[in-house]
Amino acid sequence: MQVHVVKSKIHRVKVTGADLNYIGSITIDEDLMDAANIIEGEKVQIVNNNNGERLETYAIPGPRNSGEITLNGAAARKVAKGDVLILICYALMDFEEAKSFKPAIVFPNEENNLLN
């Protein structure tokens, strides 16, 4: 049996931008992606603490040490600059492996989205 488990989580980052005219995705500071073990193109669940929205898109790297968190395309309509988000990625793995798996969970500085 295989189960979906949390693989990566970036807890409480602020939206820095929303670009409706972009092709789509979420732009994430590449330092945050590395710390949370998220790769380019990976599916990301976005939970908006301000309005309760939940949506899925894919990750693209933003400039390192920028704190950038930008929702692109249609997802831009689901956020406002300054909203607080939780970003989650899941993995499918064997049940026994999942019992001992430890996800990469990142808690950036809530003011600037940078790693401390």
Side-chain angles (χ1 to χ4, degrees):
M1 174 175 42
Q2 293 198 317
V3 294
H4 287 272
V5 297
V6 173
K7 177 191 78 69
S8 307
K9 179 177 175 183
I10 301 175
H11 190 77
R12 297 187 60 88
V13 287
K14 287 186 182 176
V15 174
T16 59
D19 186 355
L20 184 61
N21 295 312
Y22 193 84
I23 296 168
S25 66
I26 180 170
T27 304
I28 305 170
D29 178 325
E30 196 166 3
D31 287 340
L32 292 175
M33 288 178 63
D34 288 349
N37 197 26
I38 298 172
I39 60 170
E40 183 172 359
E42 186 170 356
K43 182 177 174 180
V44 178
Q45 180 183 42
I46 300 163
V47 180
N48 188 326
N49 283 2
N50 290 77
N51 64 20
E53 289 281 354
R54 286 177 173 256
L55 61 118
E56 293 177 340
T57 189
Y58 60 93
I60 61 172
R64 289 188 179 279
N65 201 38
S66 65
E68 181 176 358
I69 301 291
T70 300
L71 276 292
N72 304 303
R77 295 201 182 273
K78 303 289 188 179
V79 300
K81 188 174 179 179
D83 281 359
V84 175
L85 308 179
I86 299 171
L87 310 178
I88 309 164
C89 296
Y90 300 90
L92 186 62
M93 62 182 69
D94 179 76
F95 184 75
E96 290 303 317
E97 179 186 7
K99 287 181 179 181
S100 61
F101 178 78
K102 301 295 181 218
I105 301 177
V106 178
F107 298 90
N109 181 306
E110 289 187 37
E111 294 304 312
N112 59 16
N113 295 339
L114 299 178
L115 298 169
N116 293 328

